[in-house]
């Protein structure tokens, strides 16, 4: 399918052929008929991407601070690689579209194939021939009289509608609208439908005139004239409410709103404007200033938007979905007319011309810009980039790789390391985001890219699957790959619960004996880690180990903290450190105890102290902390035992002390955490040139210990880690969740 993409490094807009999205649970698959280009949001995105690195740094000082901290912690080369990786990824544009449903998730009962719908949401209602959209970001077009082009305005209409609701206007109110662009024009019409007297202001005469034609009671093109207008239409009191729908970094709209508002009026910022409020003006009138957030309640709530958990109508009358439905009803009733707002239409093949228009390159005036799509586009979920090799790799010794996932970690770390390994054939890459799959395929030389993971898993030309998707998908993908007779490299964690771990054990034990299952516990393959391990092997007594991780915070709403997708930071990240201590001791953990030291506003997994007791008597402590300064070193491992001390700092510096003598080893250019070495070991084992890099028993033990660390954090009690008993516990067929 064709999709409009933007290169984050240069801002260049291109129309590319990418795999069509796969229908996901809780979603509908839509054939797009029309989409609306946002002159505000998309122009701002284009302008930021067009800046050079210095200009980007000035515009986003928060991101600059992150880069500086990464340089201090990991070195210049790692920081540069991370920045380049982010800038290389193509950005999907668009968030307001309409089309026809061609696929419905099995858990959706109120939409059917053939329904006409309006779609919303960045990364969902994109400028593409097909889109996979979560149910609550879709509104059914009930009336045939509403065209797809009109329905493509629904998301922007919902923004305007939510702004009106935020202002709490009433029948007969005098309402001032500052800024008569697309959102402003829709706001004027919605206010008129609500029975308000509407006064509009825009410095562009043509916008003011259009608003007047579409129902505004009066308009002005100057701030002074607008103030007089508001006085005249309110018997000298001023506007009952002011909605700012302008798009400017200036504070002038906020100042003007304060001047034209009556005593104790409501001022609502709908557009992106400067908000340095003059206290004297707002204080003397006791004005209520509010910011309207996008389409309405539910926006930016992943449980609502992505998981389909609607708010009860008795508690939240107007969600973003219900706002979309209400706007469609206004269209069908003829109370809002968007036809006069459309100034330009471009077929998707000419989409770059639309961005030349909205960014001012073509020096033409515009308002509503619509992209149109062919009615019979091909929904292929696979794109062949290189001719198929006649060799069949399955059953052979050469690693023929299929990759699932093309996110930030895969693109910045995993795939570059994999590409450097000689003799590895890059066959297919799959990602839910077709543009990411295409970009990964081109950058790393895959033969094809797609959006259907089972096409890659069952490809007879692939003998090894590398899994780098989100955590909740790992277990099922591991099981499917083993069932298909493929070697498996799974990024950590292996799974998110003991039921899935038991299933994986059963699948591994019943699969072909020569199949390799490996988890991405890369730190044990780091060069300095191997030196540390060799040094400790001479000690024939229990060790005392402390692993301190200065992890830094992530938002509570980050997917890693989502118990269903990420499992939390203990399962998602601490498993690394449990494995590393297991590696250093050469012994399996037998007991774990977790104490949380997180504050109320933090996730309980963010700051934890985990104590591990090992079978050989060693005692390990993992301090996983997100409450420190991120500019300080991230990881420090200290080991004491047998009259010796070993200290590893950020995998860049290793100190080994015994008998009063100290050896120091350094990694001068960048910390090597073993990513390439683990993949080389994986490839070598497939070729029959090495032994299993990590024993399956150790993989299960580290995973089980991490799962029980989460259980201990909840219960407050130490919990046994009985790996041997777990291997022989209840068969999978008898297990149940409960």
């Amino acid at each position: 399918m064709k999709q409009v993409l933007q290169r984050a490094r240069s801002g260049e807009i291109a129309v590319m052929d990418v795999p069509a999205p796969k229908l996901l649970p809780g979603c509908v698959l839509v054939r797009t008929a029309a989409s609306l280009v946002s002159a505000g949001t998309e122009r701002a995105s284009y302008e930021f991407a067009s800046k050079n690195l210095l200009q980007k740094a000035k515009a986003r000082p928060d991101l600059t601070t992150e880069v500086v901290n990464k340089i201090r912690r990991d070195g210049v080369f790692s920081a540069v690689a991370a920045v380049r990786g982010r800038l290389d990824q193509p950005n999907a544009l668009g968030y307001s579209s309409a089309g026809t449903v061609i696929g419905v998730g099995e858990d959706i009962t109120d939409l059917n194939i053939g329904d006409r719908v309006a779609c919303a949401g960045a990364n969902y209602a994109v400028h593409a021939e097909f889109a996979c959209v979560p149910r609550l970001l879709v509104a059914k077009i009930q009336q045939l009289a509403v065209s797809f082009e009109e329905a493509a305005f629904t998301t922007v209409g919902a923004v305007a509608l939510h702004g009106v609701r935020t202002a709490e206007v009433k029948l007969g109110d005098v309402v001032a609208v500052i800024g008569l662009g697309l959102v402003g024009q829709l706001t004027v019409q919605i206010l008129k439908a609500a029975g308000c007297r509407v006064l509009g202001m825009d410095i562009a005469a043509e916008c003011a005139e259009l608003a007047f034609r579409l129902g505004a009671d009066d308009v002005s093109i100057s701030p002074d004239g607008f103030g007089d207008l508001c006085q005249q239409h309110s018997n000298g009191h001023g506007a009952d409410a002011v909605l700012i729908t302008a798009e400017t970094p200036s504070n002038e709209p906020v100042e003007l709103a304060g001047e034209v508002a009556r005593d104790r009026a409501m001022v609502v910022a709908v557009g992106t404007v400067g908000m340095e409020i003059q206290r004297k003006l707002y204080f003397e009138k006791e004005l209520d200033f509010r910011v309207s957030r996008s389409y309405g309640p539910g926006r930016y709530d992943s449980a609502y938007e992505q998981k389909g958990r609607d708010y009860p109508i008795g508690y939240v009358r107007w969600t973003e979905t219900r706002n979309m439905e209400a706007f469609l009803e206004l269209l069908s009733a003829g109370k809002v007319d968007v036809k006069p707002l459309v100034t330009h239409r471009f077929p998707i093949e000419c989409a770059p011309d639309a961005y030349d228009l909205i960014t001012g390159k073509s020096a033409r005036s515009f308002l509503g810009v619509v992209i149109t799509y062919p009615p019979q586009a091909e929904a292929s979920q696979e794109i062949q980039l290189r001719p198929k090799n006649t060799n069949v790799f399955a059953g052979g010794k050469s690693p023929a790789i299929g990759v699932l996932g093309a996110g930030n970690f895969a693109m910045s770390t995993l795939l570059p390391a994999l590409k450097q390994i000689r003799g590895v054939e890059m066959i297919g890459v799959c990602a839910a985001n077709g543009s990411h799959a295409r970009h990964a395929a081109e950058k790393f030389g895959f033969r094809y890219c797609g959006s259907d993971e089972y096409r890659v898993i069952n490809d007879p030309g692939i003998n090894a699957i590398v899994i780098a998707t989100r955590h909740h998908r790992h277990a099922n993908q591991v099981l499917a790959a083993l069932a298909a007779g493929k070697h498996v490299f799974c990024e950590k964690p292996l799974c998110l619960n003991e039921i899935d771990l038991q299933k994986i054990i059963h699948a591994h034990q019943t699969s072909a004996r020569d199949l390799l299952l490996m988890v991405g516990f890369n730190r044990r393959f780091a060069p300095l880690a191997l030196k540390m391990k060799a040094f400790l092997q001479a000690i024939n007594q229990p060790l005392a180990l402390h692993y301190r991780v200065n992890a830094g915070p992530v938002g509570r709403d980050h997917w890693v903290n989502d118990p269903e997708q990420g499992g939390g930071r203990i399962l998602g990240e601490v498993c690394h450190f449990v494995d590393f201590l297991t590696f250093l001791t050469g012994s399996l953990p037998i007991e774990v105890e977790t104490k949380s030291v997180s504050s109320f506003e933090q996730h309980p997994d963010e700051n934890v102290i985990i104590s591990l007791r090992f079978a050989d008597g060693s005692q390990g402590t993992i301090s996983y902390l997100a409450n420190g300064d991120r500019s300080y070193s991230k990881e420090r491992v200290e080991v004491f035992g047998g009259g010796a001390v070993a200290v590893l700092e950020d995998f860049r510096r290793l100190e080994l002390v015994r008998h009063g003598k100290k050896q120091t080893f350094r990694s001068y250019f960048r910390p090597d955490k073993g990513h390439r070495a683990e993949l080389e070991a994986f490839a070598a084992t497939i070729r029959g040139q090495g032994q299993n890099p990590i024993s399956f028993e150790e993989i299960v033990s580290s995973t089980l210990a991490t799962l029980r660390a989460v259980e201990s954090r909840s219960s407050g009690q130490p919990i046994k880690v009985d790996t041997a008993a777990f291997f022989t516990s209840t068969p999978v067929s008898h297990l149940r969740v409960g």
Side-chain angles (χ1 to χ4, degrees):
M1 72 168 186
K2 295 188 183 304
Q3 181 173 359
V4 181
L5 299 170
Q6 179 189 50
R7 298 193 183 280
R9 184 186 297 274
S10 64
E12 176 190 357
I13 304 294
V15 178
M16 297 190 64
D17 288 316
V18 304
K22 179 183 177 182
L23 177 61
L24 299 176
C27 298
V28 294
L29 194 61
V30 177
R31 182 192 300 275
T32 309
S35 60
L36 182 68
V37 178
S38 168
T41 303
E42 295 187 55
R43 183 180 65 236
S45 174
Y46 176 86
E47 289 173 349
F48 178 78
S50 300
K51 297 177 185 294
N52 59 39
L53 282 177
L54 181 58
Q55 291 170 328
K56 285 183 171 77
K58 289 181 179 179
R60 291 293 305 274
D62 55 327
L63 297 180
T64 303
T65 300
E66 286 188 24
V67 173
V68 171
N69 288 340
K70 187 168 182 63
I71 290 172
R72 290 174 178 168
R73 190 172 60 242
D74 298 335
V76 173
F77 290 102
S78 293
V80 169
V83 170
R84 284 178 174 170
R86 291 293 182 96
L87 293 178
D88 276 347
Q89 283 281 28
N91 295 327
L93 299 172
Y95 65 89
S96 187
S97 66
T100 304
V101 175
I102 62 170
V104 179
E106 59 183 18
D107 51 345
I108 296 175
T109 58
D110 57 345
L111 287 176
N112 298 294
I113 292 174
D115 284 347
R116 301 164 71 244
V117 293
C119 307
N123 296 317
Y124 298 115
V126 293
H127 300 311
E129 291 177 327
F130 298 90
C132 181
V133 189
R135 171 63 189 91
L136 291 181
L137 290 174
V138 172
K140 186 175 180 180
I141 306 170
Q142 300 286 357
Q143 301 295 329
L144 289 174
V146 177
S147 69
F148 284 127
E149 184 176 277
E150 292 172 293
F153 281 77
T154 298
T155 306
V156 179
V159 171
L161 187 54
H162 182 57
V164 171
R165 297 195 197 285
T166 303
E168 297 182 5
V169 297
K170 301 174 184 64
L171 183 69
D173 278 355
V174 176
V175 185
V177 180
I178 300 174
L180 298 174
L182 202 55
V183 175
Q185 299 288 345
L186 295 172
T187 300
V188 166
Q189 296 186 63
I190 292 168
L191 287 167
K192 287 304 296 181
C196 298
R197 189 180 306 173
V198 186
L199 309 173
M201 185 268 166
D202 198 292
I203 58 175
E206 61 271 23
C207 290
E209 291 169 4
L210 178 59
F212 187 73
R213 293 202 308 271
L214 292 176
D217 293 278
D218 215 335
V219 294
S220 175
I221 59 172
S222 73
D224 292 339
F226 190 54
D228 294 338
L229 213 60
C230 291
Q231 291 293 312
Q232 293 168 14
H233 285 269
S234 63
N235 296 322
H237 299 300
D240 296 301
V242 184
L243 284 94
I244 305 171
T245 53
E247 191 85 19
T248 173
S250 170
N251 296 305
E252 292 178 2
V254 172
E255 294 169 4
L256 177 60
E259 291 169 1
V260 303
R262 67 161 168 80
D263 188 60
R264 293 179 175 83
M266 182 84 73
V267 177
V268 177
V270 181
T272 304
V273 294
M275 292 192 297
E276 293 182 11
I277 296 172
Q278 289 186 6
R279 185 182 186 279
K280 183 176 185 296
L281 178 61
Y282 276 70
F283 172 79
E284 289 178 348
K285 290 186 176 182
E286 200 174 340
L287 299 177
D288 189 343
F289 182 83
R290 296 183 180 179
V291 177
S292 178
R293 187 174 69 177
S294 203
Y295 337 144
R299 187 72 182 110
Y300 307 112
D301 180 354
S302 59
Y304 178 93
E305 292 190 333
Q306 298 173 23
K307 299 178 182 178
R309 295 173 185 166
D310 199 359
Y311 304 149
I313 195 169
Y315 292 91
V316 184
R317 176 62 184 93
W318 294 109
T319 61
E320 59 180 319
T321 313
R322 293 193 270 271
N323 275 335
M324 292 170 66
E325 293 168 346
F327 182 77
L328 286 168
E329 289 175 5
L330 290 172
L331 286 175
S332 65
K335 294 181 179 180
V336 172
D337 186 5
V338 299
K339 294 186 182 107
L341 305 182
V342 180
T343 59
H344 296 82
R345 298 172 181 84
F346 296 90
I348 187 170
E349 295 86 356
C350 302
D353 295 338
Y355 290 86
D356 287 344
L357 179 69
I358 69 169
T359 56
K361 287 184 178 180
S362 61
R364 290 182 291 166
S365 60
F366 64 92
L367 192 58
V369 180
V370 174
I371 296 177
T372 60
Y373 301 82
Q376 298 298 327
E378 184 181 352
S380 174
Q381 292 181 334
E382 182 180 314
I383 292 180
Q384 200 77 27
L385 299 178
R386 290 194 290 151
K388 289 186 177 181
N389 197 316
T390 55
N391 294 329
V392 176
F393 292 94
K397 292 296 185 180
S398 297
I401 303 293
V403 175
L404 308 182
N408 288 330
F409 176 76
M411 294 297 293
S412 65
T413 305
L414 197 63
L415 291 177
L418 193 60
K419 183 64 176 175
Q420 293 175 30
I421 301 172
R422 295 182 62 184
V424 169
E425 185 74 19
M426 309 290 265
I427 305 297
V429 58
C430 168
N433 187 317
S435 62
H436 286 185
R438 173 71 186 253
H439 178 62
E442 289 182 337
K443 185 171 183 177
F444 297 103
F446 287 90
R447 296 186 179 276
Y448 68 86
C449 59
S451 56
D452 184 353
E453 63 199 70
Y454 294 103
R455 164 68 180 88
V456 174
I457 290 172
N458 294 308
D459 186 342
I462 289 173
N463 61 11
I465 300 294
V466 173
I467 298 172
T469 53
R470 289 192 175 183
H471 301 164
H472 68 298
R473 304 183 68 188
H474 288 186
N476 285 338
Q477 290 172 340
V478 167
L479 292 169
L482 289 175
K486 306 298 168 70
H487 302 290
V488 181
F489 177 94
C490 179
E491 247 314 306
K492 54 80 189 166
L494 179 62
C495 58
L496 296 182
N497 58 68
E498 292 189 18
I499 297 291
D500 283 341
L501 181 57
Q502 189 66 266
K503 290 179 181 178
I504 290 169
I505 291 172
H506 178 75
H508 184 264
Q509 290 176 334
T510 56
S511 64
R513 285 192 173 185
D514 60 345
L515 284 186
L516 171 62
L517 172 59
M518 184 172 170
V519 176
F521 294 139
N522 54 281
R523 282 160 175 78
R524 61 163 63 206
F525 295 91
L528 294 183
L530 296 173
K531 288 183 180 295
M532 191 179 199
K533 169 74 172 178
F535 177 78
L536 297 173
Q537 276 184 323
I539 300 173
N540 296 314
Q541 58 181 259
L543 301 173
L545 311 96
H546 182 216
Y547 204 137
R548 186 270 297 153
V549 185
N550 177 30
V554 298
R556 286 184 69 95
D557 59 349
H558 191 281
W559 70 268
V560 169
N561 282 329
D562 184 329
E564 295 175 18
Q565 285 197 23
R569 299 185 79 177
I570 294 177
L571 293 183
E573 298 177 19
V574 175
C575 57
H576 258 319
F577 316 123
V578 173
D579 173 77
F580 193 69
L581 296 189
T582 300
F583 166 68
L584 291 180
T585 61
S587 180
L588 301 182
I590 59 173
E591 185 180 84
V592 61
E593 182 176 14
T594 305
K595 299 293 184 183
S596 176
V597 290
S598 291
S599 59
F600 177 76
E601 66 272 11
Q602 294 173 315
H603 191 279
D605 281 3
E606 290 247 285
N607 297 286
V608 291
I609 309 297
I610 298 175
S611 298
L612 291 159
R613 188 158 60 89
F614 292 87
D616 69 346
S618 294
Q619 188 74 32
T621 303
I622 299 171
S623 298
Y624 184 84
L625 307 168
N627 55 4
D629 188 321
R630 294 192 73 166
S631 65
Y632 192 65
S633 70
K634 182 179 179 182
E635 299 178 35
R636 181 181 175 90
V637 186
E638 297 179 336
V639 183
F640 295 80
V645 178
V647 180
L648 178 59
E649 187 84 28
D650 264 341
F651 293 85
R652 300 182 72 179
R653 187 172 186 273
L654 174 65
E655 289 186 358
L656 305 176
V657 184
R658 181 184 282 132
H659 304 312
K661 296 181 180 180
K662 181 168 71 174
Q663 293 178 286
T664 303
F665 303 91
R666 289 183 174 86
S667 176
Y668 287 97
F669 297 104
R670 69 177 76 186
D672 186 342
K673 293 185 179 180
H675 291 103
R676 178 174 174 178
E678 68 173 345
L679 291 167
E680 286 179 335
F682 178 68
T685 305
I686 293 174
R687 296 189 193 100
Q689 297 171 345
Q691 297 181 340
N692 194 336
I694 311 176
S695 74
F696 186 61
E697 185 181 27
E698 285 184 298
I699 290 172
V700 171
S701 183
S702 293
T703 303
L704 182 61
T706 310
L707 289 165
R708 295 198 170 164
V710 176
E711 184 182 346
S712 174
R713 192 259 296 154
S714 299
S715 69
Q717 301 297 319
I719 297 178
K720 300 294 184 185
V721 183
D722 45 356
T723 304
F726 193 77
F727 265 97
T728 57
S729 60
T730 309
V732 175
S733 60
H734 296 156
L735 290 173
R736 62 185 178 87
V737 179

